[in-house]
Amino acid sequence: MKGLHATRLISAQRSQGFTLVEVMIALALGAVISLAVIQVMISNSVTERLNRALTSVQENGRFGMLRLQQDVLLSGRYDPLSADLNRSVDIAEEDFFVRQHPVVLVNEFSSRAALGITNGADGSNDRLVVVGQHNVDCRGYHLGYATGEEFPVVNEYFVAEGTLKCRGFDLRVLRGLRTAVGHNNHAAYSLLDGVESFQILYGIDALNNGRVSQYVTADNVLVSEQVIAIRIGMLLKSTDAINVNNTQSFAVLNEAPILPESSHVYRQFENTILLRNMKYYVEGGLL
């Protein structure tokens, strides 16, 4: 009987289950573990978004700078000996004109007087306009020439609604030497989004020795043939807002510092590009 009673007692104790204290402890531990797991997941998600934003901004910046560099390097280029050059105009006179206009100043062309390099007021975006011999404009258009045929191109770069854009012109059309044909509607093409600031400085050779005397803004460029270098500065932001606290300000070239107001990722890019054609012309006394 004693053995049977003891067995029933143990069975009764086992059927009671967990105590309230044990349940509360288990729930508390479960909540702590769940919160830790959720926190890790949130942290990983934020880190992933931040890394994606950083990568995107870096890639966009490199692309934008490379795209501009490829065009600016050829500013002032004119090769009258090129077998691909269209020779429907006076080549010698055009060669001299392009050398003297690696960049376009405002009021250079009566047909489009507003076209030219400009300095944005109070830190607003600048406008870059360069001239060189190519077989397409900055949008990839032949402007009525045969495929592969070269002609003097005027490419304009500017920012509208946070997007870097470009449009191309046939220099001969601007000078009244040719009738506009092909894609001469001058529609602007988008190159790069998220541009917060686009600033340009021009390296001037005031002594005609092939060296930059000083860097000036567009409104201080009096003679375009003296420009032998161009310095480009851009401030880009990520497409999506990230939960970051921007406390660093950015001074793009000679402009006042900018403190970002949004939670996007921001990166600054700068590049100084030597206009090799203009440098060699100046050093050789050809201007």
Side-chain angles (χ1 to χ4, degrees), residues 83-189:
D84 297 322
L85 178 64
N86 177 283
R87 289 176 163 75
S88 59
V89 300
D90 185 341
I91 302 302
E93 190 276 337
E94 189 169 71
D95 182 13
F96 183 72
F97 183 91
V98 173
R99 289 187 196 179
Q100 289 192 314
H101 299 82
V103 299
V104 175
L105 304 184
V106 175
N107 294 319
E108 291 275 7
F109 307 113
S110 58
S111 61
R112 204 175 184 91
L115 179 65
I117 59 174
T118 56
N119 179 48
D122 300 324
S124 57
N125 296 305
D126 294 345
R127 185 178 301 262
L128 174 64
V129 187
V130 294
V131 182
Q133 181 178 322
H134 304 275
N135 56 21
V136 292
D137 68 3
C138 63
R139 302 167 299 172
Y141 288 153
H142 299 284
L143 302 184
Y145 294 90
T147 302
E149 197 171 25
E150 296 179 341
F151 59 100
V153 176
V154 178
N155 286 328
E156 176 188 22
Y157 297 92
F158 62 98
V159 174
E161 298 179 351
T163 299
L164 178 64
K165 299 186 175 184
C166 83
R167 53 187 162 205
F169 304 83
D170 181 352
L171 176 63
R172 295 171 180 176
V173 172
L174 291 174
R175 299 183 65 202
L177 302 176
R178 177 183 169 93
T179 302
V181 293
H183 293 85
N184 274 288
N185 56 0
H186 306 137
Y189 271 32

Side-chain angles (χ1 to χ4, degrees), residues 65 231-234 251-253 268-272:
M65 281 300 183
R231 181 169 289 169
I232 302 173
M234 288 195 298
V252 184
L253 298 185
Q268 183 175 339
F269 300 87
E270 292 185 5
N271 191 13
T272 299

Side-chain angles (χ1 to χ4, degrees), residues 15-86:
S15 65
Q16 291 177 0
F18 297 105
T19 65
L20 178 61
V21 174
E22 291 173 332
V23 172
M24 294 297 293
I25 292 175
L27 289 175
L29 290 174
V32 170
I33 294 173
S34 298
L35 287 174
V37 171
I38 292 173
Q39 188 65 34
V40 169
M41 293 176 63
I42 293 175
S43 178
N44 288 341
S45 176
V46 172
T47 301
E48 183 182 1
R49 291 178 59 201
L50 179 59
N51 288 336
R52 283 203 308 266
L54 285 170
T55 301
S56 176
V57 172
Q58 287 292 128
E59 289 298 322
N60 288 342
R62 282 195 289 265
F63 165 78
M65 281 300 183
L66 180 60
R67 182 69 175 74
L68 291 166
Q69 178 177 300
Q70 290 173 338
D71 197 4
V72 172
L73 275 174
L74 298 178
S75 297
R77 172 185 177 261
Y78 193 89
D79 182 8
L81 300 179
S82 172
D84 297 322
L85 178 64
N86 177 283

Side-chain angles (χ1 to χ4, degrees), residues 206-221:
L207 303 177
N208 292 326
N209 60 4
R211 296 183 181 137
V212 175
S213 304
Q214 59 181 323
Y215 282 93
V216 299
T217 55
D219 47 5
N220 288 307
V221 178

Side-chain angles (χ1 to χ4, degrees), residues 229-244:
I230 293 178
R231 181 169 289 169
I232 302 173
M234 288 195 298
L235 178 62
L236 305 184
K237 73 175 183 179
S238 60
T239 303
D240 299 322
I242 309 297
N243 188 23
V244 293

